[in-house]
Amino acid sequence: MRIASIAGRAHLIQSDSAVDIASASNNLFPSDPQGLYRRWDEFSEWAKTLDLDELDSARSFEQRDLGNPVGHPRQVFAIGLNYADHARESKLEPPAEPVVFTKFVSSFAGPDSDVTLPSDMVDWEAELVAVIGRGGRDIPRSEGWDHIAGFTVGQDLSDRTIQWWAPPAQFSLGKSLENFAPLGPWVTSIEEIRAEHDPQNLKIGCTLEEANGSTSILQSGSTSQMIFSLPVLVEKLSALVELLPGDVIFSGTPAGVGMGMNPPTYLKPGQTLITTIEGIGSITQRFRSSNP
Ligand code: ZN
């Protein structure tokens, strides 16, 4: 099952058709994507009974019609240095406990979006983003997967000038500028991912396209390289903070960010970044100058 947002309303996606969930359920379920996670088990059961092809209300859509698929979660967790090779390129020790910051919800954007570059040190970080279904405290890692509703593709865009303004690092601010958290194209349910893949062994990466059409691969990793797996993150976060339905976890980025290049290389106006995770899909961000 895939859940996308079109005009701010949650839709079920099947190949190139979308069905408005509130309409198709006679308002049994709300149009706000966040509302679905509060009743995730009930919603999943209902969605299984639908045959989208038989619904008159199914409509076609284009990727540019899609918005951020998770709406406005109450809590956003982001994990720094969660891939050993990325910690190494950052010249930092792999952490003994998860490094946690937030991306403020006002930075969320859809899967096909434009980003104004506020400085010449904006970096890319392809990330698998988990969406919490059932919340809770003190969730053991053995039950961690049961609390994840699904996954989406995210970019943890990062202004390294702000991030390193002063010690301690300003991770949350430097990563929360306008449109710095593009997500999408949809949330793929954990059940659908698992039908063909292991969520802890998905190819993840991003490609840069220049204005002249030439492309280069920036990141190419696997979620198998995470230091703290998703169930371990659920355990460690829920030991301290109650996880709420619809919360999201940006689970860290593999090696290949611009800060780790020699010399360091950052995003430029006119470039397009395509971020892809196996089993979910791709998001596309175009970058433009802050001077019109
Ligand atoms: Zn990150």
Side-chain angles (χ1 to χ4, degrees), residues 78-82 86 101 103 124-127 155-158 160 163 171 175 250-254 257:
I79 312 300
L81 306 173
N82 198 24
H86 172 59
F101 57 95
K103 284 175 85 73
W124 53 86
E125 296 190 356
E127 306 211 3
Q155 257 294 337
D156 178 16
L157 294 171
S158 306
R160 303 297 188 198
Q163 182 177 332
F171 278 65
K175 292 164 171 274
F250 283 77
S251 59
T253 197
V257 304

Side-chain angles (χ1 to χ4, degrees), residues 133-146:
R134 221 175 308 142
R137 288 190 187 272
D138 298 318
I139 300 162
R141 65 187 70 183
S142 59
E143 295 170 17
W145 292 121
D146 303 338

Side-chain angles (χ1 to χ4, degrees), residues 149-208:
F151 298 97
T152 190
V153 179
Q155 257 294 337
D156 178 16
L157 294 171
S158 306
D159 187 325
R160 303 297 188 198
T161 48
I162 298 169
Q163 182 177 332
W164 303 116
W165 250 345
Q170 292 270 24
F171 278 65
S172 301
L173 272 189
K175 292 164 171 274
S176 292
L177 300 176
E178 188 175 11
N179 293 347
F180 268 35
L183 293 163
W186 34 68
V187 174
T188 302
S189 67
I190 190 165
E191 197 172 30
E192 177 163 332
I193 296 255
R194 279 182 157 166
E196 289 182 41
H197 305 279
D198 170 0
Q200 210 64 68
N201 190 15
L202 300 173
K203 290 192 193 84
I204 174 171
C206 59
T207 299
L208 193 66

Side-chain angles (χ1 to χ4, degrees), residues 245-269:
D247 284 355
V248 301
I249 304 173
F250 283 77
S251 59
T253 197
V257 304
M259 185 177 64
M261 292 181 167
N262 186 18
T265 304
Y266 298 104
L267 292 162
K268 294 182 188 66

Side-chain angles (χ1 to χ4, degrees), residues 9-23:
R9 296 175 64 88
H11 282 66
L12 277 171
I13 302 293
Q14 192 167 288
S15 52
D16 55 359
S17 293
V19 170
D20 185 290
I21 291 169
S23 305

Side-chain angles (χ1 to χ4, degrees), residues 34 68 70-79 99-108 127 129-132 155-156 172 175-176 180-181 183 237 241-251:
Q34 279 286 304
N68 136 38
V70 297
H72 292 81
R74 288 172 286 179
Q75 302 185 105
V76 179
F77 303 91
I79 312 300
V99 173
V100 182
F101 57 95
T102 194
K103 284 175 85 73
F104 296 110
V105 176
S106 57
S107 64
F108 280 25
E127 306 211 3
V129 176
V131 185
I132 298 297
Q155 257 294 337
D156 178 16
S172 301
K175 292 164 171 274
S176 292
F180 268 35
L183 293 163
L237 291 169
V241 179
E242 181 179 359
L243 295 182
L244 305 173
D247 284 355
V248 301
I249 304 173
F250 283 77
S251 59

